[in-house]
Amino acid sequence: MRILRFVGRRLLQLIPVLLGVVVLTFLLVRVLPGDPIRSILGPNATEADADAARARFGLDQPIWKQFLDYLGGLVTGDFGTSIQSGASVTGEMALRLGPTLELVFIAVSIAIVLAIWLGIWSARRADTVGDHSVRIFALFGNSIPEFWLGLVLILVGYAALGWFPAPSGRVDPDTNLTPLTGADLIDALITGNGPAISSSAAHLVLPVLTLVIGVLAPLLRSVRASALEVLRSEAYAAAAAHGLPERTLLRGYLRRATLVRLPSLAALVFGTALGSTVLVEYVYSWQGFGQWALRGLLYRDYPVVQASVLIIAFAYVLVFLIADVVHAWLDPRVKI
Amino acid sequence: MASLEMLPVVSGTKDGRFAKALIYVGSGILIVAALAAIFAPLLSSWGPKEIDPSGTLAAPGGEHLLGSDGNGMDVWSRVLHAARIDLGIAVLAVALAVVVGTLLGLLAGYLGGWVDDVLMRIVDIFQAFPTFILALAVSALLGGGFFNLVITIAAVNAPAYARLVRAEVRTLREMQYIEAAKTSGASTLGIMWRHLLPNSLTPVRVIAPLNCGWAMLTLAGLSFLGLGVTVPTAEWGSMISLGTSDVVAGRWWTSVPPGLALLVCVLGFSLLGEGLQERADAKSRR
């Protein structure tokens, strides 16, 4: 019950933030220079053509009317019509979210497992050569430009060794994969399309690896820091002084206490991954949410910009909320 | 029980030595990078925008030390000259973010009330986005160019400093020396300037170098996507972007060198920041 009340209160707190995001995006995209209509019409269009197009997208209305229309649509889950493609933004977005979530989800999962393992390993050897190497590795991971790392992996994995497919999509079109969720590996598994399974898996390796390295570094540092804190705590010292076996200490005391921090770390890293995925998708021509949102921004496609900004903000704050709930559930000391 | 010896006993001296090494190596890298930026014209025989019509995509060696790109421009010269823009924008942007963020945090933290409420709600909206996404959106709307990029990167970072300083000020303002200053008749402005500002900057000093590295990555990422600095201006991110098709064709020299330069510089900031952090931690443990 307390958890429900907590979630309710937090959701209420989100409303002003998200409303602020909605208003700010709506205004900024219109106030700042750039015209979505001119970019679809081409250079030879007359002023009358432009006016007609504006009327078609409702851009001739006063701004408060446009805003009310937009809000009215939002309530029913309708994000409007893309000016660039003329298609429904909700539909386009649904197609684009799958591929991106597939990438982010796989990469973040791998990074979390690796970070826990390496971080605890490193903390138990604090101030030894092994620990210092892990930390230097984490510093490298923190400092490496992901998009460049992606290119280096392409150079090695595709151009030099030829082990992985060219960075030009998510699956070989010859496999005739039926799109269901947009996440190609999952679609291939559901439809039992053998060639598509291996093709989409092969296409996933390099982009996932790129994201993992970028995401692993900050996670690793945090896991190491919180494991160190546990190791230096009195509770752990007491347990160790009682002569508990090594395995019990590691599993029952160290790993569990460190894991309690994980939800908030994962949430933070989710945000980093969302940012990185825009670059990684660009490098590998992934055609996901990031590339869609980027195109929308570049062409000032108002409905696309509004929808993608709102969805990212919503996903981000929601992930933090989930993290707090899971944290409270894992750690009995947390009062919510 | 051998493994018990591996348990971390706080070893101040060894800790300190690693921190010191990090700080020295980090600053060393940054000094070299700054020197390379300053003396770039002396270190290269081609201009950063000079086109060699007879030598597009020339392999390294020969006339072009690191080869030339698809436009026939010298990669080595451009890598060196790009350090000016990349370091310049990153450092300026972080400085601006620190100044603006600190001032806002100071006001919000010390004055409290509606000022605090309004400022923190704005910070909330900014922090509802992953930082790179925010930078992407702001720069797509604001446009590229040197000053717009400084403003974009500063705007994205300032809220974090505001929050940091605000938290610090809120603990500081309960301290007795602030009470003492108040009773001895110091003005609000005087307290903020003389007592709160210097003391609330402690965490900022550790974060700022790390933030500079992040700013460089952001700048290069934006340019890579075509939103930041554009060709022909020498900038690492746009150079990497220009070489994308070369990479697929197996030519390494147009994209790899600028990325390496970027990695090394960011690493310099990371090492410095990590060292400072380690030293601060060691101090607070003692």
Side-chain angles (χ1 to χ4, degrees):
Chain A
M1 247 4 252
R2 288 250 301 274
I3 281 209
L4 278 183
R5 269 227 316 270
F6 169 76
V7 172
R9 208 171 56 230
R10 282 284 299 267
L11 283 175
L12 280 181
Q13 282 172 358
L14 288 186
I15 292 175
V17 173
L18 290 176
L19 209 60
V21 169
V22 166
V23 175
L24 267 182
T25 330
F26 183 88
L27 286 178
L28 278 180
V29 76
R30 281 170 175 72
V31 167
L32 292 168
D35 182 0
I37 296 300
R38 279 286 161 197
S39 70
I40 57 166
L41 285 179
N44 295 325
T46 60
E47 203 45 51
D49 294 341
D51 284 342
R54 263 188 208 105
R56 188 146 39 90
F57 291 104
L59 297 178
D60 54 343
Q61 308 276 339
I63 217 158
W64 61 268
K65 179 88 178 19
Q66 289 182 39
F67 184 67
L68 286 184
D69 285 348
Y70 168 53
L71 268 191
L74 270 190
V75 176
T76 57
D78 175 12
F79 285 103
T81 309
S82 161
I83 298 174
Q84 280 286 316
S85 68
S88 146
V89 169
T90 316
E92 277 195 342
M93 191 158 60
L95 270 180
R96 295 295 192 127
L97 272 173
T100 298
L101 288 179
E102 180 183 39
L103 210 56
V104 171
F105 187 74
I106 297 179
V108 170
S109 316
I110 295 177
I112 285 178
V113 174
L114 277 179
I116 294 173
W117 182 68
L118 261 182
I120 291 181
W121 186 89
S122 177
R124 296 180 75 209
R125 286 157 189 78
D127 282 317
T128 62
V129 179
D131 173 47
H132 287 174
S133 333
V134 169
R135 291 178 64 186
I136 300 283
F137 166 76
L139 281 173
F140 261 96
N142 253 343
S143 314
I144 206 161
E146 280 112 347
F147 53 98
W148 178 74
L149 176 66
L151 286 176
V152 171
L153 290 177
I154 291 171
L155 191 67
V156 176
Y158 164 72
L161 299 174
W163 290 355
F164 299 102
S168 56
R170 309 191 296 262
V171 66
D172 188 344
D174 293 344
T175 57
N176 290 320
L177 177 65
T178 337
L180 298 169
T181 59
D184 290 305
L185 186 56
I186 293 173
D187 290 352
L189 286 171
I190 294 175
T191 54
N193 185 338
I197 293 179
S198 55
S199 168
S200 56
H203 278 88
L204 269 170
V205 176
L206 293 183
V208 164
L209 187 59
T210 313
L211 265 183
V212 165
I213 293 180
V215 165
L216 178 58
L219 262 182
L220 186 54
R221 290 171 51 130
S222 315
V223 171
R224 180 184 174 275
S226 60
L228 261 188
E229 209 169 285
V230 176
L231 284 170
R232 284 174 180 152
S233 69
E234 287 177 358
Y236 187 86
H242 278 97
L244 286 181
E246 191 67 17
R247 268 177 46 160
T248 319
L249 277 179
L250 176 61
R251 289 189 183 169
Y253 286 77
L254 182 53
R255 198 178 293 158
R256 251 189 92 175
T258 308
L259 282 186
V260 161
R261 303 283 185 82
L262 203 65
S264 31
L265 291 180
L268 207 61
V269 153
F270 177 78
T272 323
L274 269 185
S276 309
T277 186
V278 179
L279 291 161
V280 173
E281 280 181 19
Y282 187 87
V283 171
Y284 291 96
S285 314
W286 200 250
Q287 300 303 333
F289 182 81
Q291 277 192 290
W292 178 71
L294 183 63
R295 253 182 74 90
L297 270 172
L298 287 177
Y299 291 107
R300 299 289 190 276
D301 195 336
Y302 296 161
V304 173
V305 174
Q306 286 158 192
S308 48
V309 168
L310 182 59
I311 286 292
I312 289 175
F314 184 66
Y316 196 43
V317 288
L318 200 65
V319 163
F320 269 98
L321 174 59
I322 295 172
D324 283 350
V325 172
V326 175
H327 185 188
W329 177 61
L330 281 178
D331 188 347
R333 288 167 302 182
V334 174
K335 290 213 179 69
I336 54 174
Chain B
M1 290 310 287
S3 55
L4 254 190
E5 282 159 20
M6 287 196 287
L7 292 181
V9 183
V10 184
S11 51
T13 53
K14 219 173 165 191
D15 244 17
R17 228 179 297 149
F18 189 56
K20 217 180 222 171
L22 290 174
I23 294 174
Y24 281 150
V25 175
S27 348
I29 291 175
L30 292 175
I31 290 170
V32 171
L35 288 176
I38 295 168
F39 295 110
L42 300 177
L43 296 168
S44 51
S45 45
W46 296 82
K49 297 179 190 174
E50 194 178 342
I51 291 176
D52 175 8
S54 62
T56 52
L57 288 174
E63 262 190 82
H64 299 279
L65 187 60
L66 276 178
S68 64
D69 65 14
N71 295 326
M73 298 196 266
D74 185 68
V75 174
W76 166 247
S77 165
R78 285 172 66 75
V79 166
L80 287 180
H81 282 85
R84 298 176 165 192
I85 290 245
D86 280 273
L87 285 170
I89 291 183
V91 172
L92 267 182
V94 171
L96 186 63
V98 167
V99 171
V100 173
T102 304
L103 284 180
L104 292 180
L106 209 57
L107 284 176
Y110 191 62
L111 298 180
W114 66 268
V115 180
D116 186 31
D117 281 341
V118 171
L119 284 175
M120 283 304 117
R121 287 302 80 75
I122 296 175
V123 166
D124 278 347
I125 293 179
F126 269 81
Q127 297 201 321
F129 296 96
T131 38
F132 183 72
I133 302 263
L134 193 60
L136 196 77
V138 175
S139 75
L141 296 177
L142 214 58
F146 191 91
F147 286 105
N148 279 349
L149 285 165
V150 171
I151 291 170
T152 300
I153 295 175
V156 171
N157 283 307
Y161 288 106
R163 177 154 283 178
L164 197 69
V165 169
R166 172 181 176 269
E168 201 73 9
V169 167
R170 284 172 72 91
T171 38
L172 285 176
R173 72 172 182 188
E174 309 297 332
M175 298 267 182
Q176 285 192 341
Y177 69 90
I178 302 292
E179 284 296 306
K182 246 188 239 168
T183 41
S184 61
S187 66
T188 305
L189 215 60
I191 291 178
M192 291 209 306
W193 180 252
R194 215 162 301 134
H195 300 292
L196 290 174
L197 179 65
N199 288 310
S200 61
L201 280 180
T202 319
V204 172
R205 269 197 287 264
V206 175
I207 307 267
L210 288 175
N211 206 206
C212 279
W214 182 88
M216 294 188 78
L217 288 177
T218 305
L219 169 65
L222 293 177
S223 300
F224 179 74
L225 295 175
L227 291 169
V229 180
T230 45
V231 182
T233 306
E235 194 279 335
W236 291 326
S238 77
M239 289 179 71
I240 297 171
S241 175
L242 194 65
T244 310
S245 52
D246 298 329
V247 163
V248 180
R251 282 185 289 268
W252 61 271
W253 62 87
T254 46
S255 274
V256 174
L260 265 183
L262 177 60
L263 168 60
V264 168
C265 276
V266 178
L267 195 62
F269 281 119
S270 301
L271 290 167
L272 181 61
E274 178 92 359
L276 290 174
Q277 175 96 59
E278 177 98 15
R279 209 160 65 175
D281 285 354
K283 232 180 236 164
S284 70
R285 270 207 303 274
R286 243 174 256 137

